[in-house]
Amino acid sequence: MCRLVWLLVPWIAGISAEDSAMEEIATEKEAEESHRQDSVSLLTFILLLTLTILTIWLFKHRRARFLHETGLAMIYGLIVGVILRYGTPSSSSYDKPISCTQEQRAFTTLLVNVSGKFFEYTLKGEIIPEKIHNMEQNDMLRKVTFDPEVFFNILLPPIIFHAGYSLKKRHFFRNIGSILAYAFFGTALSCFIIGNLMYGVVKLMKLVGQLDGKFYYTDCLFFGAIISATDPVTVLAIFNDLRADVDLYALLFGESVLNDAVAIVLSSSIVAYQPTGENTHTFDASAFFKSVGVFVGIFSGSFAMGVCTGISTALVTKFTKLHCFPLLETALFFLLSWSTFLLAEACGFTGVVAVLFCGITQAHYSYNNLSSESRNRTKQLFEVLHFLAENFIFSYMGLALFTFQKHVFSPVFIVGAFLAIFVGRAAHIYPLSFFLNLGRRHKIGWNFQHMLMFSGLRGAMAFALSIRDTATYSHQMMFSTTLLIVFFTVWFIGGGTTPMLSWLNIRVGVDPDQDPAPTNDSFQVLHADGTSINGGSRTKQESAWVFRLWYNFDHNYLKPMLTHSGPPLSTTLPSWCGLIARCFTSPQVYDNVEQLREDDADFILNDGDLTLTYGDTTITANGSSGSHTATTSLDGRRTKMSSEEALEHELAGGDYEITNRGTRLVFPLEENA
């Protein structure tokens, strides 16, 4: 008997070792198959982008503008999605569900003991019970469904940063008041209008029996916030190709850049709205004001973080000799810019706001410190990343319509959403334009207002915000509806941009550096021969006084401190700040007799640039009077500024002229100017 046992033990051990070896081989094969599917899914998107680029070239060659590149990317994504959904066989199957009725919540990670071996499982999301047997059993579909964090941490940063880094500051700041009104007040107004209208739609769905899950008022406001994020990339691209009116371009571009930031902070504030008591979805005044505080705190914190990162990059590029190594300089600039987004997210702020204002700060300060080679590299690098990321997202939108496994389509909700965004857009464009025109010298005409209304496309930001959370029934319905809204606006509204420009009589073929023809309340720029041109001085006249003060402060203090341009700090700072002036003023400033001028300095009134001649008195742009010669010395020293009242008193009546480096500017004065 003992001999038999001794004979069986090696045989049983051999069987166990053989089974273990077979399991290892099977695991290796599964890992190899998973790696192959990952490669195929990434190759699919690369081929989509390649096909999109080739088609874009064909459209540009044929001068076809009825469909933008983002629309093409979506069409190709739809085609591939149909093939993956219906043209590939099932490659896996689910085992029978295991019941855990004693648990009250879902776990993000599970360790399962199977015959003494522990396996780790991660949460993929909730499945509606009615659809548990209809789930697509295809590994390939799950492979091409990306983690939403990929969009936020990898694809969105270069898109948002490029918007700030490529900002045309001259036209942007000329219309800054209107842009801020549209972006902040308009987006908030649109959010609440859409949210309340959709709450009525939800009540109607519940009444007719088409609501299969919970849909609260806060969910409706959240939908209003994410769908208020406009992304008129198609319209802006056509504007750029046709060289449409620069003010209209600035209004539309500025609003879209800032309202993306406002929409994401607004959505975070709505999520933070948590009333006390049993019913957490009723109105509560304390919770409301808490949400307002969250909005202000997140936005201001993200803004400060983006600006501080940009200033840090400016100081690093100024006080090091990285310009001697353009490759290292470009790499550092890229990493510091991208890290702004991740740093803000890690600190609980919003990376979109931070990276946007980081891009604006980098373009204003750090860009001046870069070598010429690094300037070209950074512009081209972020332009390429922006192009690829944006087209990747639109391709994925088309793919997700068929590969996403949790779609909830409701015809009533979809129709209501289209009507709500139309009403919300109209309710903030037309009333705000009316009030803005009360204070604008150059009014926003009806044709501009109609074009702004027409151009409220939805795009990458609305999609990224909606796909970030699809765990509940309401969020799944919001995502599916957002996807259809993006398709419609990009294809139909984007395709109708060119006919709309013609129908509204909006001028095209405009030089971006040329201003509209002068009117009775604007001045005329005359060369020595008397011919008139429209120059940047119109912008100087229109710049709000607060921004003139800001740019004077920026030119005299911040520019010299953070860049190699501007007057030496020793001539602008008080004498007791001599140590700070010597530390932050670079030798290049003293070496340059002719001060380096920023690209957008032509739209801000700087003392020394202009002299106003009236009678026998010459008045500089800062209000000081004296002889007919300019009062700026070679070392950049400025004359002391007098009050605005003194300037107005000197110019109490009659016409006067401005002398600016050989150019004569004639101002017709009006009694009620």
Side-chain angles (χ1 to χ4, degrees):
M1 185 67 181
C2 293
R3 182 177 298 178
L4 179 62
V5 172
W6 281 104
L7 290 175
L8 288 176
V9 167
W11 180 70
I12 294 174
I15 293 177
S16 177
E18 184 178 354
D19 291 341
S20 178
M22 293 296 293
E23 288 181 2
E24 290 180 359
I25 293 174
T27 303
E28 290 178 357
K29 287 185 177 180
E30 289 180 0
E32 184 179 352
E33 179 66 19
S34 177
H35 173 73
R36 186 188 66 82
Q37 291 180 354
D38 288 337
S39 301
V40 171
S41 62
L42 291 177
L43 178 62
T44 300
F45 285 104
I46 291 177
L47 292 177
L48 278 175
L49 291 176
T50 304
L51 186 60
T52 301
I53 291 173
L54 292 175
T55 312
I56 291 171
W57 168 82
L58 181 62
F59 274 47
K60 288 184 179 295
H61 181 67
R62 299 293 183 182
R63 300 184 181 274
R65 295 191 179 95
F66 61 88
L67 188 62
H68 187 249
E69 58 201 45
T70 53
L72 285 172
M74 294 170 71
I75 291 176
Y76 290 141
L78 281 171
I79 295 173
V80 174
V82 171
I83 295 174
L84 292 177
R85 181 79 182 192
Y86 302 107
T88 56
S90 299
S91 57
S92 66
S93 61
Y94 285 110
D95 295 327
K96 63 179 181 179
I98 300 176
S99 178
C100 299
T101 55
Q102 296 180 353
E103 300 296 336
Q104 300 297 321
R105 63 183 180 88
F107 297 95
T108 56
T109 304
L110 285 178
L111 290 177
V112 181
N113 186 349
V114 181
S115 302
K117 295 182 179 180
F118 291 88
F119 298 89
E120 181 181 5
Y121 295 86
T122 57
L123 178 68
K124 301 296 289 186
E126 182 183 2
I127 301 174
I128 301 175
E130 291 78 8
K131 294 186 177 182
I132 192 170
H133 299 294
N134 298 327
M135 291 294 296
E136 182 62 46
Q137 313 298 319
N138 196 326
D139 284 335
M140 192 62 190
L141 293 183
R142 290 192 291 273
K143 290 291 184 181
V144 297
T145 304
F146 284 94
D147 188 338
E149 294 303 316
V150 171
F151 292 98
F152 263 80
N153 296 330
I154 297 178
L155 297 178
L156 274 186
I159 295 176
I160 303 300
F161 182 86
H162 178 263
Y165 194 56
S166 62
L167 187 68
K168 294 181 179 179
K169 291 174 287 186
R170 177 189 174 202
H171 303 293
F172 179 84
F173 283 104
R174 183 166 69 190
N175 298 278
I176 187 65
S178 303
I179 290 172
L180 291 177
Y182 286 136
F184 283 88
F185 293 105
T187 305
L189 183 63
S190 175
C191 167
F192 284 101
I193 289 176
I194 293 175
N196 284 279
L197 289 176
M198 293 311 299
Y199 188 64
V201 172
V202 169
K203 288 294 186 181
L204 177 63
M205 293 173 60
K206 187 176 181 179
L207 186 65
V208 298
Q210 292 193 11
L211 193 65
D212 298 329
K214 296 179 179 179
F215 212 120
Y216 299 106
Y217 178 67
T218 51
D219 294 326
C220 296
L221 288 179
F222 181 79
F223 178 72
I226 64 176
I227 209 64
S228 295
T230 60
D231 185 18
V233 57
T234 304
V235 178
L236 290 173
I238 295 175
F239 278 12
N240 191 52
D241 292 341
L242 297 178
R243 298 166 70 183
D245 188 281
V246 290
D247 282 333
L248 177 61
Y249 184 94
L251 287 172
L252 187 60
F253 178 78
E255 182 210 1
S256 66
V257 167
L258 291 180
N259 96 322
D260 284 350
V262 174
I264 190 172
V265 179
L266 205 58
S267 62
S268 301
S269 303
I270 293 171
V271 172
Y273 177 80
Q274 295 179 349
T276 57
E278 296 181 358
N279 193 347
T280 59
H281 295 279
T282 57
F283 178 78
D284 186 279
S286 60
F288 172 77
F289 287 110
K290 180 183 176 181
S291 296
V292 173
V294 168
F295 176 87
V296 175
I298 291 179
F299 195 94
S300 58
S302 304
F303 169 81
M305 187 166 291
V307 172
C308 289
T309 307
I311 290 175
S312 301
T313 308
L315 292 174
V316 169
T317 53
K318 177 181 179 180
F319 291 107
T320 61
K321 293 188 177 181
L322 278 171
H323 63 272
C324 299
F325 306 94
L327 179 61
L328 300 180
E329 189 178 37
T330 304
L332 182 66
F333 184 92
F334 172 79
L335 293 175
L336 290 176
S337 302
W338 199 307
S339 64
T340 306
F341 183 92
L342 302 177
L343 179 63
E345 292 288 335
C347 294
F349 297 111
T350 300
V352 170
V353 179
V355 79
L356 170 64
F357 287 101
C358 176
I360 296 175
T361 308
Q362 300 278 45
H364 193 59
Y365 297 115
S366 305
Y367 181 81
N368 297 320
N369 299 333
L370 300 177
S371 62
S372 57
E373 188 174 351
S374 294
R375 292 181 184 183
N376 294 330
R377 282 181 174 179
T378 53
K379 278 194 170 184
Q380 294 172 0
L381 173 64
F382 282 104
E383 186 177 5
V384 170
L385 289 176
H386 163 264
F387 173 81
L388 292 177
E390 192 167 58
N391 281 278
F392 183 93
I393 290 178
F394 279 95
S395 297
Y396 185 78
M397 288 184 198
L399 203 68
L401 187 62
F402 291 97
T403 60
F404 186 73
Q405 303 181 28
K406 302 175 186 177
H407 278 305
V408 178
F409 293 104
S410 172
V412 176
F413 191 86
I414 293 170
V415 174
F418 274 99
L419 294 176
I421 62 173
F422 178 82
V423 174
R425 183 72 177 171
H428 97 256
I429 289 294
Y430 295 113
L432 280 180
S433 299
F434 171 77
F435 288 110
L436 289 171
N437 281 336
L438 297 179
R440 282 180 64 100
R441 176 162 299 184
H442 292 269
K443 312 299 182 184
I444 303 175
W446 282 107
N447 56 345
F448 278 24
Q449 295 179 40
H450 295 329
M451 196 68 214
L452 289 171
M453 169 68 192
F454 178 80
S455 303
L457 283 73
R458 272 60 177 178
M461 180 58 68
F463 172 79
L465 287 173
S466 63
I467 200 176
R468 198 174 191 181
D469 181 10
T470 55
T472 62
Y473 169 82
S474 59
H475 285 244
Q476 291 166 7
M477 184 183 294
M478 284 187 254
F479 170 71
S480 302
T481 305
T482 301
L483 208 56
L484 294 180
I485 291 173
V486 173
F487 286 162
F488 178 83
T489 56
V490 170
W491 285 340
F492 294 98
I493 297 181
T497 301
T498 303
M500 183 63 68
L501 285 172
S502 176
W503 185 62
L504 294 176
N505 294 321
I506 295 176
R507 61 188 190 134
V508 295
V510 179
D511 186 354
D513 296 324
Q514 182 182 0
D515 292 313
T519 59
N520 292 332
D521 54 355
S522 65
F523 61 82
Q524 206 170 7
V525 182
L526 299 178
H527 281 303
D529 58 0
T531 58
S532 64
I533 62 170
N534 295 319
S537 301
R538 168 178 173 263
T539 318
K540 294 177 181 177
Q541 186 191 23
E542 291 181 350
S543 300
W545 65 270
V546 64
F547 291 102
R548 292 204 300 269
L549 291 178
W550 156 251
Y551 266 85
N552 282 328
F553 174 78
D554 177 63
H555 178 75
N556 291 331
Y557 301 105
L558 295 183
K559 275 280 188 176
M561 185 177 293
L562 301 176
T563 69
H564 301 297
S565 61
L569 289 172
S570 58
T571 64
T572 57
L573 289 175
S575 57
W576 54 270
C577 296
L579 180 61
I580 298 177
R582 288 192 297 271
C583 291
F584 283 94
T585 302
S586 60
Q588 288 89 329
V589 174
Y590 296 102
D591 294 339
N592 295 333
V593 176
E594 180 67 23
Q595 293 296 328
L596 298 176
R597 296 181 55 83
E598 55 183 307
D599 294 338
D600 59 337
D602 61 336
F603 66 97
I604 297 300
L605 285 171
N606 288 320
D607 49 325
D609 292 340
L610 300 175
T611 58
L612 286 69
T613 303
Y614 173 69
D616 295 330
T617 304
T618 297
I619 305 170
T620 60
N622 63 4
S624 60
S625 61
S627 63
H628 290 286
T629 59
T631 58
T632 303
S633 58
L634 291 178
D635 61 355
R637 186 179 301 274
R638 298 305 197 197
T639 58
K640 294 183 179 180
M641 182 174 292
S642 61
S643 63
E644 295 287 342
E645 290 80 3
L647 179 59
E648 293 175 358
H649 177 72
E650 294 289 343
L651 303 178
D655 290 348
Y656 62 95
E657 61 184 32
I658 292 180
T659 304
N660 180 12
R661 298 180 182 176
T663 304
R664 186 163 54 89
L665 292 76
V666 179
F667 281 64
L669 294 181
E670 299 179 358
E671 295 180 359
N672 298 324

